[in-house]
Amino acid sequence: MNRNTEKQLETLSPFEVKNTLIELAENNKEHSMINAGRGNPNWIATEPRDAFFQLGLFALQESKSTFSQYPGFGGTSKKNGISERFLSFCEDNEQVDGVRFLLNAFSFLTVEHKINADELIYEWVEGILGDNYPVPDRMLKNSEFISRKYIEQEMGYKDTLPASHFDLFAVEGGTAAMVYIFNSLKANHLLNKGDSIAIGAPIFTPYIEMPELEDYSLNKVEIMATEESHWQIPDSELEKLRDPKIKAFFLVNPSNPASVKLSDETLQKIADITNERPDLILLTDDVYGTFTDKFTSLAMLAPKNTILVYSYSKYFGATGWRLGVIAVNEENVFDRMIADLPESTRNQLTKRYSGISLDPANIKFIDRLVADSRAVALNHTAGLSTPQQIQMSLFSLLALLEGGQEYQQHAKQIVRSRYHTLMEKSLTQPIVSEDDESGAFYYVEIDIQDLASSVYNADFFTWMKENFEPLDFLVRMAEESAIVVMPGGGFDAPEWSLRVSLANLPESDYAEISSAINLTLEGYYEAYLSAK
């Protein structure tokens, strides 16, 4: 591939560049392709899925019993006594995978948390059958309670939980959450065209790209974490948040691609700045938090100002399920900021939401997110599909029940073992050690400049930079070794860097990836020596 073509490719999203690299790798006749480009885990959580399908069988049994006039038809379940029938079903099938999980979940919710047994099982049965619209549309009552407990457990280490609770909106994964949040912030004039927002970089590419779209036309200010600071944000960068022109701060924590969580000290500094700037909007995407030790979300330290996004996709191996939540604390600045808008703007918003409430001026921000997700007019059909919400509840319960800690340790061990294998053959020392509590180890960012300079010399890298595009290293890996990795520059990491996903390949493949990186670098060095 020539340099001009590589320059053109570098203008695309790294996810689009990946497709070109895949084509190159597939054309390699000597090696089978190893695709470490996408963060889709190659494991799944089986217990909550076993439970889902067994619950589905019980739900069908219930439905068939109420509508037997015609073959192939079922009816709406009867709530009265449904929990007793559920327990009878479980006793008859106790040895079947997933049933014991259902019994433990039932006991946990009805005994420890005093949830009405018939209401719980009726919600599960109707939800898994998907025979009704989601009611409430924001999230089913018990599903919200279960997911809230999960979020509080995993996002709030030790005593960081605020006294007030979080309202949840169940959405189609983290990507849908991003779209809904951007749209509602714009629709409610909390962010307007031309406003400045801060982005915690490096970061998942859409957070870089979306503000620039014509739909939003926002100005970006980067708040850079650096490799030298162990992927923490230096105080000098955090000081940018004191500028009143910056309306919001968006971050992914732990980061992508560096896969390192922000320290408690850094999070507290952001929270302290927010106390001084009570109208600063914070958005934190914490999908990788469960892979670190002692994780605390910014939402716990600055609950009033923070919109929390969490996706179930990575931790439970559920990217195809499209499961996520938006969490907003019941005591938040967004409702107050909307109330403080100029009268003409408030009148405009009152008109926008007048068709769904007799008191549209006082609709909470979280409920505006729900309405806006269906262009307001279709608010009555809003909400995540109910079978998805039941599976989300069962995933949450896996973490909340007794086996949750063991599952988490195994999930962490999977990615850490792959990290060890990758770095074992690396020519440089890893930035994050395997026992580092700040590491999520879901991805690893490898700095080619640092690698070239430390293994060989700085003059060698200067020669590389003068003669090649940063993407050329990845192109060579694809063409020569059939290995696909992502360009780090597309995530606002250093241009001469690459991202390896530690989620989606067998452990042995990571030794091959490391060897290919070394071999590719050696090829450049041989060319450098020949050119001297």
Side-chain angles (χ1 to χ4, degrees), residues 155-395:
M155 302 288 105
Y157 180 65
K158 284 190 174 178
D159 300 323
T160 57
L161 287 179
S164 49
H165 76 250
F166 289 88
D167 291 323
L168 303 188
F169 173 23
V171 295
E172 303 89 338
T175 49
M178 290 170 59
V179 173
Y180 297 160
I181 291 166
F182 270 88
N183 285 345
S184 278
L185 289 174
K186 175 189 174 185
N188 288 279
H189 298 273
L190 299 182
L191 286 180
N192 299 295
K193 286 189 175 184
D195 282 348
S196 293
I197 64 168
I199 303 286
I203 195 170
F204 181 50
T205 309
Y207 283 109
I208 303 170
E209 297 171 340
M210 286 181 68
E212 296 176 343
L213 296 176
E214 185 180 351
D215 294 356
Y216 309 109
S217 299
L218 299 168
N219 299 317
K220 294 184 306 180
V221 176
E222 290 191 335
I223 308 292
M224 291 295 300
T226 62
E227 194 170 333
E228 294 75 23
S229 61
H230 195 67
W231 294 115
Q232 298 301 308
I233 303 174
D235 289 352
S236 58
E237 290 291 296
L238 290 177
E239 286 298 310
K240 296 176 183 178
L241 296 176
R242 297 187 188 279
D243 185 347
K245 292 179 181 177
I246 293 177
K247 305 297 184 183
F249 178 37
F250 296 169
L251 72 154
V252 174
N253 181 36
S255 54
N256 178 2
S259 210
V260 173
K261 71 175 183 179
L262 293 177
S263 68
D264 292 342
E265 292 76 17
T266 299
L267 292 173
Q268 189 58 57
K269 287 172 185 174
I270 297 170
D272 290 343
I273 291 171
T274 306
N275 287 333
E276 298 171 19
R277 292 203 53 211
D279 286 351
L280 180 64
I281 298 168
L282 303 174
L283 169 61
T284 182
D285 183 338
D286 295 350
V287 59
Y288 305 107
T290 44
F291 290 93
T292 69
D293 298 328
K294 303 175 183 177
F295 181 76
T296 300
S297 170
L298 181 60
M300 303 302 163
L301 301 181
K304 294 181 180 181
N305 294 69
T306 304
I307 303 168
L308 168 64
V309 171
Y310 180 77
S311 167
Y312 287 72
S313 60
K314 306 302 196 301
Y315 189 50
F316 297 101
T319 52
W321 262 107
R322 315 309 297 142
L323 304 178
V325 291
I326 301 171
V328 177
N329 197 270
E330 61 180 348
E331 296 180 8
N332 64 80
V333 300
F334 313 110
D335 295 335
R336 192 262 304 158
M337 290 169 71
I338 291 170
D340 289 346
L341 290 168
E343 184 178 2
S344 59
T345 305
R346 283 187 280 114
N347 290 339
Q348 176 188 337
L349 291 176
T350 295
K351 183 178 180 180
R352 176 180 177 85
Y353 298 107
S354 61
I356 63 172
S357 173
L358 294 176
D359 187 17
N362 290 314
I363 296 176
K364 296 197 300 183
F365 176 68
I366 187 80
D367 294 317
R368 293 173 188 237
L369 280 165
V370 180
D372 294 332
S373 75
R374 296 297 183 270
V376 183
L378 295 171
N379 179 66
H380 64 287
T381 60
L384 183 68
S385 81
T386 58
Q388 287 175 285
Q389 293 194 48
I390 302 307
Q391 182 67 90
M392 186 189 297
S393 297
L394 295 172
F395 283 145

Side-chain angles (χ1 to χ4, degrees), residues 33 73 211 289:
M33 182 176 67
F73 283 78

